[in-house]
Amino acid sequence: RAYTETFTLSYVTGRSVGIGAYLCRLGQRTIQMKKGPMILTGFGALNKLLGRNVYTSQDQLGGPQIMIPNGVSHMEVPDDQAGVDAILRWISFVPKRVGMLPPALNTLDPIDRPVDFTPSKAPYDPRHMLDGVYTPEGDWTSGFLDQNSWTESLGDWGKTVVVGRGRLGGIPLGVIAVETRAVNQTVPADPANPASSEQLLAQAGQVWFPDSAFK
């Protein structure tokens, strides 16, 4: 109910167990610290249930290396400082009240400036088209959005689609772009299955797969 009526955002700064992890999932928007696993049951209890020591840490169950590739967590941050910065940046795109327009900020990029980046026929990084990029010579090539306003979400899940938020003339907007390059989907190894190992599944660019279509 809260998700449908207001803005919800969860920041996992430490171990989140049981109902805490469930509430993070219900809130839909999650920022996860590098050492902040989200789990329903601890690895010790699962080892007792399985009758052997299968799992050695909580991270194997709900660490960022699990929750980021499966689309549960939107962003990973290294520490609390970066976590607070990510929260404030996300909130800056959100209207003050339901039904209001999102806040527009002053920008140094004039609205009538040219877009220097030109998409090529060869595969390229769509983030350069959105946010701009520095050339090897150190020259700035502007993208579609205001400089440094691009914030990507769900970067390691559904990689053939790129989603995030940015600003154009200081006005916030959401972005959905197509990844033109071939990417790899990472499937972590299952510790409960001794025969399993981490797999890298190749995914062609400009193609929707089940994960990217849902994204």
Side-chain angles (χ1 to χ4, degrees):
R1 179 179 175 181
Y3 175 75
T4 59
E5 295 182 358
T6 186
F7 176 75
T8 57
L9 175 63
S10 302
Y11 173 46
V12 183
T13 181
R15 184 187 306 169
S16 181
V17 184
I19 188 63
Y22 187 56
L23 290 176
C24 289
R25 181 55 177 156
L26 289 178
Q28 296 293 322
R29 305 176 187 91
T30 303
I31 300 172
Q32 189 173 7
M33 196 173 78
K34 185 177 181 180
K35 296 182 179 179
M38 286 192 296
I39 55 175
L40 294 178
T41 304
F43 76 95
L46 289 178
N47 286 339
K48 290 181 180 179
L49 180 65
L50 295 171
R52 55 194 178 94
N53 292 328
V54 173
Y55 301 99
T56 59
S57 71
Q58 313 289 12
D59 288 335
Q60 289 179 292
L61 301 173
Q65 70 271 24
I66 301 297
M67 294 303 179
I68 296 290
N70 68 13
V72 172
S73 294
H74 290 68
M75 301 176 189
E76 178 186 358
V77 293
D79 51 43
D80 285 334
Q81 179 66 55
V84 172
D85 289 343
I87 292 171
L88 293 176
R89 190 174 179 90
W90 200 326
I91 291 176
S92 71
F93 293 100
V94 180
K96 185 177 180 180
R97 294 186 181 89
V98 175
M100 293 183 64
L101 294 175
L105 302 179
N106 294 328
T107 176
L108 298 177
D109 279 352
I111 58 175
D112 57 350
R113 64 168 173 82
V115 177
D116 297 329
F117 184 85
T118 302
S120 62
K121 293 183 179 180
Y124 62 91
D125 190 339
R127 297 162 187 83
H128 296 168
M129 175 188 67
L130 298 171
D131 198 29
V133 63
Y134 282 100
T135 64
E137 294 76 23
D139 298 325
W140 173 250
T141 302
S142 64
F144 181 73
L145 302 172
D146 296 345
Q147 187 174 357
N148 297 325
S149 71
W150 165 249
T151 301
E152 185 174 359
S153 298
L154 300 167
D156 285 334
W157 177 63
K159 294 182 181 180
T160 58
V161 170
V162 178
V163 301
R165 294 166 180 81
R167 294 183 183 275
L168 186 60
I171 300 174
L173 60 128
V175 177
I176 302 174
V178 176
E179 175 60 82
T180 62
R181 303 167 299 174
V183 297
N184 289 322
Q185 177 192 16
T186 303
V187 180
D190 182 5
N193 181 6
S196 73
S197 60
E198 182 179 278
Q199 297 180 357
L200 293 178
L201 305 180
Q203 294 182 331
Q206 305 185 64
V207 177
W208 273 11
F209 294 87
D211 53 355
S212 54
F214 187 69
K215 177 180 177 180

